Amino acid sequence: MTQAHIGVIGVGTMGSALALNFAEKGQNVALWNLELDMVDRLVASAGDLSARLQRCESLADLVTALPVPRTIVLMIPAGTPVDQTIAALRPLLSAGDTIIDGGNSDFRDTMIRTKTLEDAGLCYLGIGVSGGAEGARRGPSMMVGGTRSSYSHVAPILEAIAARYEGDPCVAHLGSDGAGHFVKTVHNGIEYADMQMIAEVYGMMRDGAGLAASDIAPVFRGWNRGLLESYLIEVTGEVLATKDPQTGEDMVDLIADQAGQKGTGRWTVIEAVRMGQVAGIIEAAVGARVMSAQKSTRERASTILVPAGTDTMIPVSEHDLQSALIVGRILSYAQGFEILAAGSTKFNWLLDFARIAEIWRAGCIIRSAMLDDIATTFRSQRLAGHLALSDHFIPMLTTHIAGLRRVVSAAALKGLPTPALAAALSWFDMIRQERGTSDLIQAQRDYFGAHSFERVDAEGSHHGPWHAG
Ligand code: 6PG
């Protein structure tokens, strides 16, 4: 291979896919990985693209293989490995070189790393890369944080490998330092919420209506041609239709019901709570994954916490289930964008919400037809302060809310858990309650702590006559 153009460190699933994508777009890629045999396997399996891949024996080799100013992409696990690799690279690099962290790093780490490296004359970009292995290979959605000038060095390369929505590359510089990883974190929070609501609706069909996975698959495939059109609905239809080659049974029925998580959903909730934002749907999804992992406790509880709900389920139509997902999706996106808005203000990122919605329309895991509507809504700036209160989404919510109500009610009576859908419904009912029940909370606070309250019929701060007698 002639001169390399870009370096990739880490050739796990995502790193390999991204390296091949770079190579396909004409970049010569210098590769290094802690286990070098993984690089060998990648090069051996790359076919024609192998001519553009260069195996490097060491980090120093990789640095030497690159022209100055260098661009090096880290595709390694978040946390300590990123710090260790940066520490090993630093003495080998020159001012003006760019390090890109393309992993799911904590945006707070990215903020610190950006400052340290930019102060040392290096360029640093934290990029949220979404789309899984297939996305990284064929075109991911990329959320970039760092200085605008650092981004300008690599923008053409990133635009070349990005997914495209009607020709528009799904990559954007979103703000300084941790902005890209923050937006990716919230993306993943929404991903968790969407996946959980889909799983709850699947549970209603499996455990409520007694349908087999292969009978549920066509329902999702049908929904993918309507308002719910999205990657995750498509994936669900495909997964449910898949048979286990060994037994011939529906594959999903043979998978243990314990979900993994690497932390980004949880980070979204933590950041939302820190900033005083409501993330109820995402929080329910994270909680559901945690409970799914408590298998032995669930096994014990299933025999002692009885009785379950009613034997028969109140009728819920396919249309109701679809409506429940439509409302749930609108509201989880809305919660996500509220968290983004709070982060933008807190960290002074000036996030462009329309652009975020636009770069989520292709390549990423939460890509969906609805994101195009969200982008248009943000562009039109007819938001009324909240996505759920925009002209576009009000009619959708009012049309479909009855379905969500029926689904959550039926699930509750039957004893089927729908924590994320129920959180969506509770949010809807709380936001539309002109007079809520916090009068009582205020009275309680004043009773035990003399915290005072405002009266509806008089100005100023007041106390109740609680201890008068
Ligand atoms: C993406 C995904 C990806 C994430 C996996 C698994 O946008 O491509 O969000 O980054 O790592 O979906 O995440 P969990 O292990 O936390 O489910």
Side-chain angles (χ1 to χ4, degrees):
M1 194 181 81
T2 49
Q3 176 80 67
H5 301 119
I6 191 165
V8 172
I9 296 177
V11 294
T13 314
M14 292 294 283
S16 303
L18 213 63
L20 292 172
N21 192 350
F22 280 129
E24 197 171 65
K25 303 301 174 319
Q27 301 294 314
N28 294 338
V29 191
L31 297 165
W32 183 77
N33 193 79
L34 206 52
E35 295 90 29
L36 271 174
D37 54 327
M38 286 172 69
V39 178
D40 294 331
R41 282 201 293 279
L42 171 62
V43 176
S45 64
D48 292 349
L49 293 178
S50 64
R52 291 196 176 276
L53 302 179
Q54 179 181 341
R55 173 197 201 267
C56 300
E57 293 292 326
S58 63
L59 273 185
D61 270 4
L62 178 125
V63 170
T64 313
L66 295 168
V68 178
R70 307 171 181 93
T71 302
I72 300 175
V73 186
L74 310 184
M75 295 303 293
I76 57 181
T80 310
V82 175
D83 286 321
Q84 286 172 341
T85 308
I86 291 172
L89 272 175
R90 267 185 75 171
L92 306 170
L93 298 180
S94 328
D97 288 349
T98 301
I99 301 178
I100 296 175
D101 174 11
N104 274 334
S105 286
D106 185 329
F107 76 94
R108 289 176 185 276
D109 292 342
T110 305
M111 292 173 89
I112 295 166
R113 290 170 188 146
T114 308
K115 165 118 189 58
T116 313
L117 293 171
E118 296 271 346
D119 283 354
L122 295 168
C123 302
Y124 191 75
L125 295 171
I127 305 190
V129 179
S130 180
E134 186 60 17
R137 176 69 185 87
R138 303 282 162 213
S141 166
M142 288 175 285
M143 297 143 246
V144 183
T147 64
R148 198 168 276 286
S149 72
S150 297
Y151 178 60
S152 65
H153 301 149
V154 294
I157 308 177
L158 296 182
E159 284 176 13
I161 64 158
R164 281 172 189 271
Y165 181 86
E166 294 178 357
D168 180 23
C170 292
V171 54
H173 175 256
L174 299 175
S176 60
D177 49 56
H181 279 142
F182 177 78
V183 173
K184 176 60 170 47
T185 297
V186 176
H187 164 285
N188 281 28
I190 297 170
E191 173 185 306
Y192 275 47
D194 214 37
M195 291 169 73
Q196 175 61 24
M197 291 187 287
I198 289 172
E200 290 172 13
V201 162
Y202 153 70
M204 293 289 285
M205 288 189 261
R206 185 190 69 180
D207 303 329
L211 295 179
S214 48
D215 296 327
I216 303 172
V219 178
F220 280 94
R221 284 175 167 167
W223 289 345
N224 200 36
R225 292 188 287 274
L227 277 175
L228 288 172
E229 184 191 333
S230 57
Y231 178 66
L232 283 170
I233 294 285
E234 178 192 332
V235 164
T236 306
E238 295 307 306
V239 161
L240 291 172
T242 302
K243 300 282 182 195
D244 172 38
Q246 286 165 32
T247 62
E249 290 183 42
D250 290 333
M251 189 66 229
V252 71
D253 292 338
L254 301 171
I255 299 177
D257 64 330
Q258 292 159 279
Q261 53 176 321
K262 296 197 198 74
T264 40
R266 189 169 59 232
W267 295 347
T268 307
V269 176
I270 291 170
E271 293 305 330
V273 173
R274 271 186 173 158
M275 297 187 295
Q277 295 301 310
V278 176
I281 309 173
I282 301 168
E283 190 181 337
V286 174
R289 288 207 192 184
V290 173
M291 287 190 77
S292 83
Q294 297 171 350
K295 182 71 174 174
S296 59
T297 311
R298 287 192 289 121
E299 276 169 353
R300 206 154 49 82
S302 69
T303 59
I304 52 180
L305 293 183
V306 288
T310 50
D311 285 344
T312 52
M313 195 163 76
I314 61 171
V316 168
S317 67
E318 199 179 298
H319 187 256
D320 290 333
L321 294 167
Q322 182 186 26
S323 291
L325 281 181
I326 290 168
V327 175
R329 178 171 283 176
I330 295 170
L331 298 186
S332 67
Y333 281 139
Q335 286 190 352
F337 276 98
E338 288 292 295
I339 300 166
L340 289 177
S344 181
T345 305
K346 179 166 178 182
F347 299 103
N348 203 19
W349 284 323
L350 304 173
L351 295 178
D352 178 343
F353 307 116
R355 190 66 192 135
I356 292 170
E358 282 167 1
I359 65 167
W360 283 353
R361 290 178 302 184
C364 73
I365 301 293
I366 63 168
R367 61 187 184 260
S368 73
M370 207 178 271
L371 278 163
D372 194 37
D373 299 338
I374 292 176
T376 309
T377 302
F378 277 118
R379 285 261 173 260
S380 72
Q381 295 185 333
R382 282 182 290 119
L383 259 191
H386 200 287
L387 203 53
L389 301 181
S390 64
D391 291 350
H392 183 79
F393 288 108
I394 293 168
M396 282 168 82
L397 288 171
T398 48
T399 303
H400 293 285
I401 191 66
L404 176 62
R405 267 189 214 297
R406 272 193 291 278
V407 169
V408 172
S409 308
L413 289 172
K414 175 82 176 139
L416 296 174
T418 53
L421 290 172
L425 182 57
S426 292
W427 186 90
F428 181 92
D429 282 333
M430 284 194 82
I431 204 75
R432 55 171 289 284
Q433 196 171 33
E434 200 268 327
R435 179 163 170 80
T437 54
S438 295
D439 47 353
L440 183 59
I441 305 291
Q442 285 297 76
Q444 289 165 335
R445 291 178 70 242
D446 190 55
Y447 184 99
F448 61 67
H451 294 292
S452 82
F453 51 79
E454 289 175 17
R455 290 182 67 110
V456 294
D457 57 355
E459 295 290 314
S461 170
H462 301 268
H463 293 288
W466 321 120
H467 309 291

